[in-house]
Amino acid sequence: MMSPLKALLSILSLFVVLAIVAVVYPDGGIQIGDKTFRYPKLTDIFVKANSDSTADSAAVDPEEAIRQMMEATKRKEFAAYTDSLKYYEDFFKNARTRIDVPNDDPTWFDRFFLHLQLAELDSSMVHIVHYGDSQLEEDRISATIREDLQTEFGGAGPGMMPPIMTVPSQTTSHYNEGALQRYILFGPKEEEASHNRYGPLAQFADLNGSAVISIKKRDDRKNAFPHVGGYNTVKVLAGKRGNLKLRLVYARTFVEEIPEDADSATAAKPPKRTIKNVEAEAPTVETFNKLKVYTWKLPDTTSSAKIYLSGNTEIYAVSADGAYGVAVDNVAMRGSSGTIFHRIDTELLSEAYKAMNVRLIIMEYGGNLVPGTNKSNVEWTRKLITRQIQAIQKANPDADIIFFGPADMAKQVDGSWKTYPGLALTIKTLREVALDNGVAFWDMHRVMGGNGSMIKWVQKEPALGFTDHIHFTRRGAAYMADLFSSTLRMYYDYFQFRDRHKIDDNKLNELRDYADSLKNADTLKLDSAKTDSTATAAPAAQQAPEGNP
């Protein structure tokens, strides 16, 4: 589509050419045979018409005609966009599943979406770290978000996992054995380390000797989460201190080659596939100030790998990903309120985020704050959560952050289940803290339907909530995750809509002004109609008494 400026210049150029022809053309015309060809002079074109009406006496200014034509073209174009714009912005303002974004700016996700689009072009992985409390255990919620996004943007594998996993995952079998000692920041004091080098998962394993870590797609859930298997990039995040030797053994599929001179019957058979455990070539090593990242790029995909380790160092995470696309890292912290990030070594955390290309961080906390939150201590909550958000922002200023507020929670009061009284205040405070710090907020309580919704989720068949009226079932967690993914996709569709039609910020503001002008015009018409109706009805009302006895 030609831009308005180019159209204007083209039309003006045409007028200039016509004007030059009018000036140089002979007054008497050009005689060819018995015919005379004449061309009107400028005075004939722009002369004012003689008329008794002053309204009709003004000649049409060519520039004004061009302006009117351009305005008509613009109105036609804007009318086509306005309906779509209204559809999106109505959702962003009114939908129950909407995301509250800083400054009510629906373009807030643009930076993140650009990274997702670039992932395929530069063969990179974009990581989303999903931190949360026990609602995330077993890879609940995260697994469905991961599957939805990998279907949309590419990618494979479960992402980052701790070297020692104490709660089984519903997507990936994970076990370890050997000289590994686990330390966590979100548990009992006796499980904490004597330093703050915890890395991106708020935990690590101390290696002193030899050990093995195995990861494999769950065999008992072959049809569930198809993208979580089939990874071909494996990483180990380890401390720079000490020493570490690594080797990787993985299950590789070999396809039998069919000879070129094979008969037709042999050629028609499907090639035989054999799976063998093979050792990968040595990993590449990327060294930071406090971190070393070991990476294997496998020649094909696998859903089973074993990492053999020996030495003396700290292991912060292992990661299994695809060649490009998106990864979602599940980081469940049972009993945590997410108040530990300011205690993690900032430099180490920053290096890990950079090494894994972390571009979105989800903080799903608040449920463990609800029972004790009241007006007397809510300011303490505000300051503490603010400190956590700012600690992550300091470690990774290039990532966007979304805070998931707590879901509906109920407890028994006089024999009946009722929503916790401190839930509304907790959500209000968390939303304010998020938006004040440039962080988006997704209200799971509102998404569920508000107070009492967890009671309904528990009563559904099959149940979406456990009988404790706090946690989701696997089905409920998947449903909540699908709602988030669908909502995020609306923002991505809006991003694509603007990109497809070259709608930048200036044009977006023009479209909004145009929509407002239409709305104001409709309001004026309605007010005028009401005024006319009142004026017409008034005399009748005044005359009615005159007809009475």
mmCIF file of all heavy atoms in Angstrom, residues 510-533:
data_model
loop_
_atom_site.group_PDB
_atom_site.id
_atom_site.type_symbol
_atom_site.label_atom_id
_atom_site.label_comp_id
_atom_site.label_asym_id
_atom_site.label_seq_id
_atom_site.Cartn_x
_atom_site.Cartn_y
_atom_site.Cartn_z
ATOM 1 N N GLU A 510 -2.998 7.866 16.465
ATOM 2 C CA GLU A 510 -3.929 8.442 15.490
ATOM 3 C C GLU A 510 -5.190 7.592 15.374
ATOM 4 O O GLU A 510 -6.309 8.120 15.282
ATOM 5 C CB GLU A 510 -3.251 8.534 14.115
ATOM 6 C CG GLU A 510 -2.191 9.619 14.011
ATOM 7 C CD GLU A 510 -1.630 9.710 12.593
ATOM 8 O OE1 GLU A 510 -2.381 9.454 11.636
ATOM 9 O OE2 GLU A 510 -0.441 10.030 12.446
ATOM 10 N N LEU A 511 -5.012 6.285 15.378
ATOM 11 C CA LEU A 511 -6.164 5.390 15.303
ATOM 12 C C LEU A 511 -7.070 5.554 16.519
ATOM 13 O O LEU A 511 -8.296 5.560 16.402
ATOM 14 C CB LEU A 511 -5.686 3.941 15.213
ATOM 15 C CG LEU A 511 -5.208 3.464 13.837
ATOM 16 C CD1 LEU A 511 -4.447 2.154 13.963
ATOM 17 C CD2 LEU A 511 -6.383 3.295 12.894
ATOM 18 N N ARG A 512 -6.457 5.705 17.675
ATOM 19 C CA ARG A 512 -7.256 5.896 18.894
ATOM 20 C C ARG A 512 -7.996 7.228 18.850
ATOM 21 O O ARG A 512 -9.161 7.314 19.256
ATOM 22 C CB ARG A 512 -6.344 5.819 20.123
ATOM 23 C CG ARG A 512 -5.870 4.399 20.417
ATOM 24 C CD ARG A 512 -4.778 4.376 21.459
ATOM 25 N NE ARG A 512 -4.389 3.012 21.800
ATOM 26 C CZ ARG A 512 -3.242 2.687 22.368
ATOM 27 N NH1 ARG A 512 -2.356 3.635 22.654
ATOM 28 N NH2 ARG A 512 -2.955 1.428 22.653
ATOM 29 N N ASP A 513 -7.312 8.275 18.357
ATOM 30 C CA ASP A 513 -7.974 9.583 18.231
ATOM 31 C C ASP A 513 -9.140 9.501 17.251
ATOM 32 O O ASP A 513 -10.203 10.088 17.478
ATOM 33 C CB ASP A 513 -6.970 10.643 17.754
ATOM 34 C CG ASP A 513 -5.926 10.968 18.817
ATOM 35 O OD1 ASP A 513 -6.169 10.664 19.992
ATOM 36 O OD2 ASP A 513 -4.869 11.524 18.461
ATOM 37 N N TYR A 514 -8.928 8.759 16.158
ATOM 38 C CA TYR A 514 -9.992 8.599 15.163
ATOM 39 C C TYR A 514 -11.185 7.862 15.771
ATOM 40 O O TYR A 514 -12.339 8.258 15.577
ATOM 41 C CB TYR A 514 -9.456 7.827 13.961
ATOM 42 C CG TYR A 514 -10.504 7.495 12.919
ATOM 43 C CD1 TYR A 514 -11.021 8.470 12.073
ATOM 44 C CD2 TYR A 514 -10.979 6.188 12.801
ATOM 45 C CE1 TYR A 514 -11.978 8.157 11.118
ATOM 46 C CE2 TYR A 514 -11.934 5.876 11.846
ATOM 47 C CZ TYR A 514 -12.432 6.859 11.011
ATOM 48 O OH TYR A 514 -13.381 6.551 10.084
ATOM 49 N N ALA A 515 -10.897 6.803 16.532
ATOM 50 C CA ALA A 515 -11.976 6.059 17.183
ATOM 51 C C ALA A 515 -12.718 6.942 18.182
ATOM 52 O O ALA A 515 -13.948 6.895 18.281
ATOM 53 C CB ALA A 515 -11.411 4.821 17.880
ATOM 54 N N ASP A 516 -11.967 7.775 18.912
ATOM 55 C CA ASP A 516 -12.598 8.696 19.871
ATOM 56 C C ASP A 516 -13.474 9.719 19.154
ATOM 57 O O ASP A 516 -14.549 10.079 19.641
ATOM 58 C CB ASP A 516 -11.530 9.412 20.705
ATOM 59 C CG ASP A 516 -10.846 8.468 21.681
ATOM 60 O OD1 ASP A 516 -11.420 7.405 21.975
ATOM 61 O OD2 ASP A 516 -9.733 8.807 22.142
ATOM 62 N N SER A 517 -13.004 10.190 17.987
ATOM 63 C CA SER A 517 -13.798 11.179 17.243
ATOM 64 C C SER A 517 -15.113 10.579 16.775
ATOM 65 O O SER A 517 -16.154 11.235 16.782
ATOM 66 C CB SER A 517 -12.993 11.712 16.048
ATOM 67 O OG SER A 517 -12.825 10.711 15.061
ATOM 68 N N LEU A 518 -15.071 9.306 16.345
ATOM 69 C CA LEU A 518 -16.303 8.631 15.944
ATOM 70 C C LEU A 518 -17.242 8.479 17.129
ATOM 71 O O LEU A 518 -18.457 8.673 17.019
ATOM 72 C CB LEU A 518 -15.988 7.255 15.358
ATOM 73 C CG LEU A 518 -15.226 7.220 14.029
ATOM 74 C CD1 LEU A 518 -14.995 5.773 13.605
ATOM 75 C CD2 LEU A 518 -15.989 7.956 12.937
ATOM 76 N N LYS A 519 -16.657 8.147 18.271
ATOM 77 C CA LYS A 519 -17.464 7.969 19.470
ATOM 78 C C LYS A 519 -18.098 9.299 19.892
ATOM 79 O O LYS A 519 -19.276 9.364 20.253
ATOM 80 C CB LYS A 519 -16.579 7.425 20.605
ATOM 81 C CG LYS A 519 -17.349 6.925 21.821
ATOM 82 C CD LYS A 519 -16.383 6.435 22.894
ATOM 83 C CE LYS A 519 -15.543 5.286 22.394
ATOM 84 N NZ LYS A 519 -14.639 4.770 23.444
ATOM 85 N N ASN A 520 -17.302 10.387 19.814
ATOM 86 C CA ASN A 520 -17.822 11.706 20.172
ATOM 87 C C ASN A 520 -18.906 12.153 19.202
ATOM 88 O O ASN A 520 -19.902 12.770 19.602
ATOM 89 C CB ASN A 520 -16.681 12.731 20.193
ATOM 90 C CG ASN A 520 -15.691 12.459 21.311
ATOM 91 O OD1 ASN A 520 -16.044 11.841 22.315
ATOM 92 N ND2 ASN A 520 -14.456 12.913 21.148
ATOM 93 N N ALA A 521 -18.704 11.847 17.901
ATOM 94 C CA ALA A 521 -19.710 12.213 16.897
ATOM 95 C C ALA A 521 -21.023 11.486 17.168
ATOM 96 O O ALA A 521 -22.104 12.069 17.074
ATOM 97 C CB ALA A 521 -19.198 11.883 15.503
ATOM 98 N N ASP A 522 -20.929 10.209 17.523
ATOM 99 C CA ASP A 522 -22.131 9.439 17.845
ATOM 100 C C ASP A 522 -22.818 10.009 19.079
ATOM 101 O O ASP A 522 -24.048 10.067 19.151
ATOM 102 C CB ASP A 522 -21.773 7.972 18.085
ATOM 103 C CG ASP A 522 -21.368 7.265 16.799
ATOM 104 O OD1 ASP A 522 -21.708 7.786 15.712
ATOM 105 O OD2 ASP A 522 -20.719 6.211 16.876
ATOM 106 N N THR A 523 -22.024 10.447 20.053
ATOM 107 C CA THR A 523 -22.590 11.038 21.277
ATOM 108 C C THR A 523 -23.332 12.334 20.967
ATOM 109 O O THR A 523 -24.421 12.583 21.476
ATOM 110 C CB THR A 523 -21.472 11.299 22.303
ATOM 111 O OG1 THR A 523 -20.804 10.072 22.594
ATOM 112 C CG2 THR A 523 -22.032 11.877 23.591
ATOM 113 N N LEU A 524 -22.714 13.164 20.091
ATOM 114 C CA LEU A 524 -23.350 14.426 19.711
ATOM 115 C C LEU A 524 -24.668 14.175 18.983
ATOM 116 O O LEU A 524 -25.667 14.862 19.212
ATOM 117 C CB LEU A 524 -22.405 15.241 18.828
ATOM 118 C CG LEU A 524 -21.185 15.859 19.531
ATOM 119 C CD1 LEU A 524 -20.254 16.510 18.510
ATOM 120 C CD2 LEU A 524 -21.642 16.898 20.559
ATOM 121 N N LYS A 525 -24.666 13.173 18.086
ATOM 122 C CA LYS A 525 -25.900 12.849 17.369
ATOM 123 C C LYS A 525 -26.987 12.403 18.331
ATOM 124 O O LYS A 525 -28.150 12.776 18.207
ATOM 125 C CB LYS A 525 -25.632 11.741 16.340
ATOM 126 C CG LYS A 525 -24.838 12.192 15.126
ATOM 127 C CD LYS A 525 -24.614 11.026 14.165
ATOM 128 C CE LYS A 525 -23.792 11.449 12.957
ATOM 129 N NZ LYS A 525 -23.531 10.301 12.041
ATOM 130 N N LEU A 526 -26.586 11.574 19.313
ATOM 131 C CA LEU A 526 -27.547 11.075 20.285
ATOM 132 C C LEU A 526 -28.092 12.218 21.135
ATOM 133 O O LEU A 526 -29.301 12.306 21.383
ATOM 134 C CB LEU A 526 -26.867 10.024 21.175
ATOM 135 C CG LEU A 526 -27.755 9.335 22.213
ATOM 136 C CD1 LEU A 526 -28.882 8.577 21.512
ATOM 137 C CD2 LEU A 526 -26.938 8.372 23.071
ATOM 138 N N ASP A 527 -27.208 13.126 21.585
ATOM 139 C CA ASP A 527 -27.650 14.272 22.387
ATOM 140 C C ASP A 527 -28.561 15.171 21.574
ATOM 141 O O ASP A 527 -29.571 15.689 22.083
ATOM 142 C CB ASP A 527 -26.432 15.074 22.876
ATOM 143 C CG ASP A 527 -25.625 14.297 23.908
ATOM 144 O OD1 ASP A 527 -26.161 13.318 24.466
ATOM 145 O OD2 ASP A 527 -24.464 14.672 24.147
ATOM 146 N N SER A 528 -28.218 15.360 20.282
ATOM 147 C CA SER A 528 -29.044 16.199 19.414
ATOM 148 C C SER A 528 -30.421 15.587 19.232
ATOM 149 O O SER A 528 -31.440 16.280 19.258
ATOM 150 C CB SER A 528 -28.349 16.366 18.058
ATOM 151 O OG SER A 528 -29.151 17.118 17.182
ATOM 152 N N ALA A 529 -30.447 14.264 19.049
ATOM 153 C CA ALA A 529 -31.730 13.585 18.874
ATOM 154 C C ALA A 529 -32.577 13.710 20.123
ATOM 155 O O ALA A 529 -33.800 13.923 20.047
ATOM 156 C CB ALA A 529 -31.488 12.119 18.535
ATOM 157 N N LYS A 530 -31.938 13.603 21.278
ATOM 158 C CA LYS A 530 -32.671 13.741 22.535
ATOM 159 C C LYS A 530 -33.226 15.160 22.689
ATOM 160 O O LYS A 530 -34.350 15.368 23.130
ATOM 161 C CB LYS A 530 -31.751 13.412 23.716
ATOM 162 C CG LYS A 530 -31.444 11.933 23.859
ATOM 163 C CD LYS A 530 -30.546 11.690 25.064
ATOM 164 C CE LYS A 530 -30.257 10.205 25.228
ATOM 165 N NZ LYS A 530 -29.358 9.962 26.386
ATOM 166 N N THR A 531 -32.409 16.149 22.279
ATOM 167 C CA THR A 531 -32.842 17.546 22.374
ATOM 168 C C THR A 531 -34.041 17.798 21.464
ATOM 169 O O THR A 531 -35.037 18.426 21.857
ATOM 170 C CB THR A 531 -31.698 18.491 21.990
ATOM 171 O OG1 THR A 531 -30.590 18.254 22.852
ATOM 172 C CG2 THR A 531 -32.123 19.947 22.105
ATOM 173 N N ASP A 532 -33.954 17.293 20.206
ATOM 174 C CA ASP A 532 -35.065 17.463 19.266
ATOM 175 C C ASP A 532 -36.327 16.793 19.780
ATOM 176 O O ASP A 532 -37.434 17.314 19.658
ATOM 177 C CB ASP A 532 -34.688 16.880 17.904
ATOM 178 C CG ASP A 532 -33.577 17.683 17.236
ATOM 179 O OD1 ASP A 532 -33.337 18.831 17.679
ATOM 180 O OD2 ASP A 532 -32.948 17.153 16.292
ATOM 181 N N SER A 533 -36.161 15.628 20.372
ATOM 182 C CA SER A 533 -37.307 14.895 20.894
ATOM 183 C C SER A 533 -37.957 15.648 22.033
ATOM 184 O O SER A 533 -39.181 15.755 22.130
ATOM 185 C CB SER A 533 -36.854 13.508 21.361
ATOM 186 O OG SER A 533 -37.911 12.812 21.947
#
